[in-house]
Amino acid sequence: MPKRRLRTAAFLAVTAVLALLAPTAEARTDPGIPRLTDGSGRALTLRGWNLADKENRGERALDDITERSLRDLAAHGFNFARLAVFWDDLEPERGRYSERYLRKIEQVLDWAARYRVRVVIDAHQDIYGPAFGTHRGIPAWATRTDGLPYKPHPDDWFAEYFEPAVQAAFEHLYEDEDLRRAQSGMWRVLAGRFAHHPAVFGYDLINEPMGRMRPGEDMFEAARRIEATQITPMYNRIADAIREVDRRHWLFIEPTPAAGEGKRTGLGRVDDPKVVYAPHFYNAAMEAGRDYDPASGWLERYEAEIVHYPREHRVPIVVGEWGPLNSGLPNMGRFYEDAIASIGRYASGWASWQWCYGGGYCALERDGVRFQPNKERTVRAYAAAVAGVVRGESYEEGRYRLEYVPGSWGVTEVSVPALAGGWRVSVAGPAWAEASSVPPGKAGTVRVRALGGGAVTVTVTSR
């Protein structure tokens, strides 16, 4: 079961308004924002879920993530997973890295490779780490509090980010030279171990970074200062460390959760050619258990602000986390459609929170067969890789249409989920599909090869 992300008063002010998802029609990505690409230059769309085991640690770390998790994910047509790993498990004592934990990560990656799921390894933290209650992330030995107080908030755990001891710990992580070296060293070990693993697509450098507010600052002023003066330099340090052992994979960077309130980030440029902006989207009211309000305008405000960083710095965007606590409320069907459509206008993909079996944020019911209410709306056809320039996409239940102008760099792939009757495939223009149908009951990939110049339209229709 995922930890409840209840965020009341203090959280309502800071919540990370993650990403938004799609209605029945999906517009092409904002032309001012680059598309995410693979090694062949194909435009990619990542769609998937987060994999996280926050409850188990030590010898049982990652036990809740099994081969079934990856098999089921892929069986519904998803091609992406954001895998939470914890520094406190990787380096429980300073300078001693856990080979057992590295092997467990490798096992998850092996399953992902088997089912053709791309993985971003996420250095996850909640409330800094295990020095503060039951939280996970940065090791206790790398936690410095200046003797300041910490009080748990069991009914609103996000409020703990504003505890003086937690804010001091972040400040020391950013400013103390020995902790900087330790964090870079951890990433050299992690990236060095998995640089050549076929499932690895990238690295998320730290989950939901926070920091210390100064007297007289409001939360948003503090966030912009922390992002500009502490988090950006941290990202550049980590990028340099990773590039010592891995020059190939994408680096995913996050703003503070304050960006989720529709505020512009203060992050500066990360000096690397393969950077992905990876904000989160959690609406504060919905996190507190309330229904989606389409008239509130928060989704539109979020979209209007979140695009500024990727436009300015010419980097692709992938939403790293999103999803409501209670997906069964009356307006949640509308939320999923509005959100997916919004993300499609500016992002190259998303990972919802969280692929697990049960209640709360879990994708599926405990039986592992049924989706929780409205979460089945995330299952749909999409262009996983386009060998050319996308001109338009549309999706209605049972029908997906892609228009693109072919390039000279490979095969276009359209991912379709399993349907009882299967799918029909048609292609218009100078191209051909390797198969004219997808058989009943199986998720599949429609591969299209261009024969020459001119626009191509691929249509997949349920049978």
Side-chain angles (χ1 to χ4, degrees):
M1 290 286 292
K3 184 177 293 183
R4 283 176 61 90
R5 299 176 61 100
L6 263 186
R7 309 176 182 190
T8 56
F11 180 73
L12 285 167
V14 158
T15 225
V17 177
L18 225 172
L20 326 172
L21 294 146
T24 56
E26 298 177 9
R28 65 190 178 98
T29 303
D30 185 321
I33 300 174
R35 291 294 296 256
L36 190 65
T37 57
D38 65 9
S40 301
R42 297 184 301 172
L44 299 180
T45 297
L46 304 180
R47 290 201 173 173
W49 293 74
N50 282 262
L51 295 171
D53 181 356
K54 296 186 179 183
E55 307 304 321
N56 293 311
R57 62 186 74 197
E59 291 189 1
R60 295 199 59 201
L62 297 175
D63 277 3
D64 279 355
I65 302 171
T66 66
E67 182 174 2
R68 176 194 181 188
S69 306
L70 278 303
R71 183 177 64 243
D72 289 354
L73 190 76
H76 289 287
F78 297 109
N79 67 350
F80 179 45
R82 178 174 176 261
L83 173 64
V85 302
F86 300 104
W87 185 2
D88 58 296
D89 264 323
L90 177 61
E91 192 179 2
E93 298 176 17
R94 187 163 193 162
R96 183 178 70 82
Y97 295 97
S98 170
E99 178 61 27
R100 179 192 297 270
Y101 192 56
L102 289 165
R103 287 199 302 269
K104 286 203 163 192
I105 295 170
E106 188 169 25
Q107 177 65 85
V108 176
L109 294 175
D110 288 346
W111 292 327
R114 183 174 303 166
Y115 296 105
R116 300 189 64 196
V117 173
R118 291 184 167 98
V119 175
V120 166
I121 298 174
D122 157 41
H124 209 86
Q125 66 79 32
D126 293 313
I127 317 300
Y128 197 80
F132 304 109
T134 60
H135 300 297
R136 308 298 312 283
I138 298 157
W141 59 259
T143 306
R144 293 170 184 162
T145 66
D146 297 335
L148 294 171
Y150 161 74
K151 180 180 72 175
H153 297 253
D155 295 326
D156 184 9
W157 68 269
F158 193 84
E160 296 178 29
Y161 276 118
F162 302 96
E163 286 293 310
V166 175
Q167 295 201 348
F170 276 102
E171 182 98 342
H172 283 290
L173 177 69
Y174 300 145
E175 300 298 338
D176 292 5
E177 185 57 37
D178 63 326
L179 296 185
R180 292 178 176 184
R181 289 196 302 270
Q183 187 183 34
S184 294
M186 177 275 291
W187 265 114
R188 273 191 293 271
V189 169
L190 196 58
R193 178 64 170 257
F194 301 118
H196 301 291
H197 197 287
V200 172
F201 185 76
Y203 309 107
D204 192 328
L205 305 189
I206 187 171
N207 179 69
E208 296 183 352
M210 298 290 283
R212 182 182 239 166
M213 295 176 65
R214 293 177 178 171
E217 287 182 324
D218 67 26
M219 177 187 58
F220 301 113
E221 291 170 333
R224 287 190 293 272
R225 173 185 54 79
I226 292 163
E227 289 166 339
T229 65
Q230 294 179 314
I231 295 175
T232 301
M234 176 187 66
Y235 285 154
N236 276 295
R237 288 192 300 272
I238 296 173
D240 288 344
I242 289 174
R243 292 313 184 209
E244 292 178 23
V245 294
D246 181 349
R247 305 197 65 83
R248 185 163 62 98
H249 291 113
W250 290 91
L251 307 182
F252 286 59
I253 62 168
E254 303 183 26
T256 65
E261 288 298 318
K263 302 294 183 179
R264 204 165 300 188
T265 182
L267 281 177
R269 176 172 295 280
V270 176
D271 189 19
D272 190 273
K274 299 194 73 173
V275 169
V276 179
Y277 186 52
H280 294 179
F281 168 66
Y282 292 112
N283 175 258
M286 290 163 60
E287 286 293 287
R290 294 199 284 276
D291 201 358
Y292 171 54
D293 178 5
S296 69
W298 63 262
L299 189 153
E300 292 82 4
R301 290 191 298 273
Y302 176 82
E303 181 177 335
E305 291 299 326
I306 208 67
V307 296
H308 285 281
Y309 184 89
R311 283 176 182 168
E312 178 183 357
H313 295 284
R314 298 294 299 165
V315 296
I317 179 170
V318 171
V319 174
E321 289 185 22
W322 71 280
L325 174 63
N326 185 349
S327 65
L329 296 172
N331 288 332
M332 284 301 174
R334 170 74 179 273
F335 164 71
Y336 274 92
E337 298 302 328
D338 286 354
I340 292 171
S342 177
I343 289 180
R345 288 191 284 270
Y346 59 82
S348 291
W350 45 258
S352 190
W353 188 272
Q354 156 189 20
W355 192 262
C356 53
Y357 308 90
Y361 292 92
C362 285
L364 299 171
E365 302 283 3
R366 292 190 184 279
D367 61 15
V369 176
R370 294 170 298 143
F371 277 89
Q372 289 212 73
N374 292 304
K375 296 188 179 183
E376 76 283 352
R377 295 173 186 268
T378 62
V379 179
R380 55 185 66 191
Y382 61 96
V386 177
V389 178
V390 177
R391 289 294 175 86
E393 292 178 89
S394 63
Y395 173 83
E396 298 175 0
E397 187 173 355
R399 184 176 183 271
Y400 171 78
R401 187 170 183 265
L402 166 70
E403 299 174 61
Y404 73 102
V405 176
S408 58
W409 50 81
V411 178
T412 290
E413 298 180 357
V414 174
S415 174
V416 295
L419 281 185
W423 297 84
R424 293 191 306 272
V425 180
S426 65
V427 177
W432 60 279
E434 293 182 355
S436 60
S437 64
V438 177
K442 288 188 175 183
T445 299
V446 176
R447 293 178 173 83
V448 178
R449 297 180 182 273
L451 301 173
V456 171
T457 300
V458 182
T459 306
V460 291
T461 309
S462 61
R463 296 196 296 186

